[in-house]
Amino acid sequence: MTPPPQDEFLDAAKRGRGADKARQMLKVAQLYCTEARIAILQVLMQAARPLRQDQIAGQLTERAMSKVTVYRTLESLIEVGLVHRAFTYQRAWYFELADHCTEHQCHPHFTCTNCGVTHCLMDVLLPLAKISQKGFVVDRQQVRLEGLCPACA
Amino acid sequence: MTPPPQDEFLDAAKRGRGADKARQMLKVAQLYCTEARIAILQVLMQAARPLRQDQIAGQLTERAMSKVTVYRTLESLIEVGLVHRAFTYQRAWYFELADHCTEHQCHPHFTCTNCGVTHCLMDVLLPLAKISQKGFVVDRQQVRLEGLCPACA
DNA sequence: GAGGAATATGCAACTGAGTTGCATATTTTT
DNA sequence: AAAAATATGCAACTCAGTTGCATATTCCTC
Ligand SMILES: [Mn+2]
Ligand SMILES: [Mn+2]
Ligand SMILES: [Zn+2]
Ligand SMILES: [Zn+2]
């Protein structure tokens, strides 16, 4: 009886392989390798969608963590470009790894107005708005979609 | 000495011409014609950009209004499609009239990360993300841009 | 490895945009 | 004018996110 691949992956992450990846990312970014940063990076690496602070905290299996620390940890990861704020929904920020981003634009996010679930549209890329001739310098273009997801349509 | 056109327009709005337009919009929408709705619609009709609740309240010259009423008024105007929530910035919603919208998409908004001012890009329209073949039903596509505005670049 | 500087964490208290219940006021309908 | 329907104001509340400060952890140097 071999365990299913997901469990194997999660197990590996807990045992340290995911932690090593996180440590390396932090070293490159010149951030202290703290328990909080390693754990939160691992949670975000395994996440299929952006997560709120409380969802991230809820995934921390090893040790509970103050929400202040979660917020400050995310802030530090954002500052060095490892994480970004994907969008807000019902007054709360959703965070995700910043790896799937192109220079000025990340993938779009679709939020279902019926079930509230958000999907990352990894393979959808809209053209950048051409507004530089008007004197604007675009740093980031963000696309949000709302409607019904396949399960709710 | 004729007053400049802006003042003339503002004056006309105060005197009732803008109010008549608002009354008509409310009648069509089957909403009670209340002081609050007429006043807030007029403020939004004259606004060059989306406004927060406190900015709207600050523009109400005739009579002060409880912030609860401003929020509930906006909510009712949103329900009938006259107003929409344009975006959030620093945890606050910005509201605007829902007239420049096409069926599934409004114009993009550019927020300057230096001065904080938002510009409505009325003449910019990105294509709709083609995700219906994946089973998604898109109700609304929203585009946000960040960077430096012409004044700050 | 020990010591010290730099940085991160937890706690408790705070902030502020937005919401809710309920009594009262306004608008519309009859 | 009276009744029914709806809107408003007040005070109290919610809750995601922030701040000050004492303590703990990480890293760097010797
Ligand atoms: Mn995503
Ligand atoms: Mn706009
Ligand atoms: Zn759904
Ligand atoms: Zn600017």
Side-chain angles (χ1 to χ4, degrees):
Chain A
M1 279 175 76
T2 52
Q6 304 94 303
D7 290 353
E8 201 174 359
F9 177 72
L10 287 171
D11 205 43
K14 279 182 195 165
R15 279 165 192 277
R17 269 184 274 169
D20 287 347
K21 178 85 194 300
R23 279 175 195 282
Q24 197 189 330
M25 293 162 77
L26 292 170
K27 197 153 198 175
V28 171
Q30 303 194 58
L31 285 182
Y32 278 20
C33 280
T34 66
E35 249 187 66
R37 286 188 184 133
I38 293 164
I40 287 178
L41 273 179
Q42 283 182 272
V43 167
L44 292 178
M45 283 191 278
Q46 293 167 33
R49 62 193 87 260
L51 299 175
R52 291 190 308 263
Q53 173 277 137
D54 62 295
Q55 295 175 315
I56 294 169
Q59 299 262 344
L60 299 170
T61 49
E62 299 294 314
R63 194 169 60 82
M65 196 182 300
S66 148
K67 72 171 180 175
V68 178
T69 300
V70 176
Y71 279 120
R72 287 200 274 226
T73 298
L74 289 167
E75 183 61 40
S76 70
L77 296 173
I78 289 167
E79 265 170 31
V80 298
L82 287 173
V83 169
H84 67 193
R85 295 184 173 87
F87 58 88
T88 51
Y89 182 59
Q90 294 178 344
R91 292 181 60 67
W93 276 108
Y94 284 71
F95 302 86
E96 70 180 348
L97 282 189
D99 52 2
H100 296 282
C101 302
T102 62
E103 191 184 356
H104 294 300
Q105 169 164 216
C106 196
H107 53 272
H109 289 103
F110 181 101
T111 302
C112 178
T113 50
N114 183 246
C115 66
V117 171
T118 293
H119 297 257
C120 297
L121 305 175
M122 295 294 198
D123 50 353
V124 179
L125 185 62
L126 293 188
L128 261 191
K130 304 178 210 66
I131 58 172
S132 49
Q133 80 279 358
K134 298 178 185 175
F136 291 100
V137 178
V138 177
D139 182 51
R140 188 178 180 212
Q141 171 168 305
Q142 228 185 327
V143 177
R144 273 219 5 85
L145 295 149
E146 277 183 15
L148 296 175
C149 73
C152 293
Chain B
M1 280 176 77
T2 51
Q6 303 94 303
D7 289 353
E8 200 173 0
F9 177 70
L10 286 170
D11 205 45
K14 279 182 194 163
R15 279 165 192 279
R17 270 185 273 168
D20 287 347
K21 179 86 195 299
R23 279 175 195 281
Q24 198 189 329
M25 293 164 76
L26 292 171
K27 196 154 199 174
V28 170
Q30 302 195 58
L31 285 181
Y32 278 20
C33 279
T34 66
E35 249 187 67
R37 286 188 184 133
I38 293 163
I40 287 178
L41 273 179
Q42 283 182 272
V43 169
L44 292 178
M45 284 190 280
Q46 292 168 32
R49 61 192 87 260
L51 299 176
R52 291 190 309 264
Q53 171 277 137
D54 61 296
Q55 295 174 316
I56 294 169
Q59 298 262 344
L60 299 171
T61 49
E62 298 294 314
R63 194 171 60 81
M65 195 182 300
S66 148
K67 71 171 179 175
V68 178
T69 301
V70 177
Y71 280 120
R72 287 200 274 227
T73 298
L74 288 167
E75 182 60 41
S76 69
L77 296 173
I78 288 168
E79 264 170 30
V80 298
L82 286 173
V83 169
H84 68 193
R85 293 183 174 88
F87 58 89
T88 51
Y89 183 61
Q90 295 177 343
R91 291 182 62 68
W93 276 108
Y94 284 71
F95 303 86
E96 71 180 347
L97 282 190
D99 50 6
H100 296 281
C101 302
T102 62
E103 191 184 357
H104 294 300
Q105 168 163 218
C106 196
H107 53 271
H109 288 103
F110 181 101
T111 302
C112 178
T113 50
N114 182 247
C115 66
V117 172
T118 293
H119 297 257
C120 297
L121 306 176
M122 294 297 198
D123 50 352
V124 178
L125 186 62
L126 294 189
L128 260 191
K130 303 180 209 67
I131 58 171
S132 49
Q133 80 279 359
K134 297 179 184 175
F136 291 100
V137 178
V138 178
D139 182 51
R140 189 179 180 211
Q141 171 168 305
Q142 229 184 326
V143 177
R144 291 259 297 120
L145 295 150
E146 278 183 13
L148 297 176
C149 74
C152 293

